[in-house]
Amino acid sequence: MLFKLASTVFLAQFFALTSAQTISGPFDCLPAGNSYTLCQNLWGRTSGVGSQSSTLVGSSGDSVSWSTNWNWQNNQNSVKSYANIIADNAMGKQLSAVTSAPTSWSWSYETKSDPIRANVAYDLWLGASPVGAPASRNSSYEIMVWLSRQGGIQPIGGPTASGIQLAGNTWTLWSGPNSNWQVLSFVSDTGDIPNFNADFKEFFDYLVQNSGVSSQQYVQAIQAGTEPFTGSANLVTHSYSVALN
Ligand SMILES: *[C@@H]1O[C@H](CO)[C@@H](O)[C@H](O)[C@H]1NC(C)=O
């Protein structure tokens, strides 16, 4: 009885901080707890036909829960969107000054079509100046970490290294250019990673030691989300957090 009461109180507190809110406009954003922003970012929507909405489920302390519900057809090789959580404060630090960058991401597909073409991925933006919007003229590198790759989709460029051991997983690194920045994508060799815990400092150190990334580069933004190509899904993030120390 006492236990039940306690857990009810805990759940009530968890959801009391933010009641579920849904956004559906192409570039709608929503504050998500104290340190994140949830954005739809349907940047590639005109290459296909479909719709997407994203919901902030709740937040507690440094952790946020959200979902995105999408349905896209046509142009199976084109990304339609990148609904994501961006950290408001994990930015403006040089790689050489990063002591740790812990992250935790627990996610699952509540529903998904078969076939489906989509990833679940981080987007970490690096640049020569402390301030830089993602995918802007200030971007030097887009570091992606793919926790899921469904339907045979591919990162930009081609594979340049494989069997990379980082954060308790094995990765293939893809590399290629996009606009004015370089894309470096770590793709899981072992399929979906639905419960990811890592320190991004391990990835930064790898890139500085092996990929020619200068330790003078600044972390400009850290995002976590999904790039749908075609199909439909409801992707739920049960809990997510990241910090840059
Ligand atoms: C680019 O960097 C400059 C200098 O740090 C900053 O003032 C500007 O707001 C940045 N612009 C974008 C689009 O990130």
Side-chain angles (χ1 to χ4, degrees):
M1 184 61 195
L2 197 60
F3 173 77
K4 274 199 165 167
L5 187 64
S7 64
T8 305
V9 168
F10 173 78
L11 280 174
Q13 281 179 345
F14 186 88
F15 289 108
L17 292 171
T18 44
S19 54
Q21 288 170 275
T22 296
I23 48 179
S24 53
F27 294 101
D28 284 358
C29 290
L30 196 60
N34 296 327
S35 48
Y36 304 98
T37 302
L38 172 65
C39 290
Q40 279 258 91
N41 194 12
L42 309 187
W43 65 271
R45 69 197 181 287
T46 55
S47 68
V49 175
S51 64
Q52 185 163 0
S53 64
S54 300
T55 298
L56 175 65
V57 177
S59 66
S60 176
D62 292 337
S63 180
V64 63
S65 171
W66 66 287
S67 64
T68 190
N69 205 320
W70 58 266
N71 185 329
W72 295 107
Q73 282 92 45
N74 298 358
N75 281 311
Q76 66 157 11
N77 292 321
S78 295
V79 175
K80 305 304 185 293
S81 60
Y82 184 55
N84 72 88
I85 282 280
I86 186 166
D88 297 336
N89 305 315
M91 58 178 64
K93 190 166 281 222
Q94 260 175 326
L95 295 183
S96 59
V98 173
T99 54
S100 72
T103 186
S104 169
W105 190 358
S106 163
W107 59 270
S108 63
Y109 281 110
E110 193 176 273
T111 61
K112 73 174 154 70
S113 59
D114 182 11
I116 183 174
R117 289 168 62 81
N119 67 19
V120 175
Y122 288 90
D123 231 348
L124 293 91
W125 295 90
L126 308 182
S129 61
V131 178
S136 72
R137 66 174 181 276
N138 288 358
S139 309
S140 303
Y141 294 97
E142 176 181 7
I143 311 301
M144 298 197 79
V145 179
W146 287 36
L147 305 185
S148 177
R149 176 194 187 188
Q150 296 277 334
I153 57 169
Q154 294 196 349
I156 282 178
T160 55
S162 60
I164 302 167
Q165 305 281 330
L166 292 171
N169 294 283
T170 311
W171 312 85
T172 296
L173 182 62
W174 292 59
S175 179
N178 187 358
S179 193
N180 55 294
W181 63 88
Q182 190 183 356
V183 185
L184 294 164
S185 305
F186 292 91
V187 180
S188 166
D189 281 350
T190 53
D192 286 3
I193 308 176
N195 289 293
F196 185 65
N197 289 286
D199 184 345
F200 279 132
K201 183 171 163 49
E202 278 189 54
F203 291 82
F204 297 150
D205 289 348
Y206 176 90
L207 293 168
V208 168
Q209 284 157 24
N210 301 286
S211 305
V213 175
S214 166
S215 64
Q216 303 308 296
Q217 285 275 308
Y218 289 85
V219 179
Q220 294 180 334
I222 301 178
Q223 300 171 292
T226 178
E227 291 180 317
F229 292 61
T230 50
S232 63
N234 188 29
L235 176 73
V236 179
T237 288
H238 306 286
S239 65
Y240 172 75
S241 67
V242 70
L244 184 67
N245 305 307

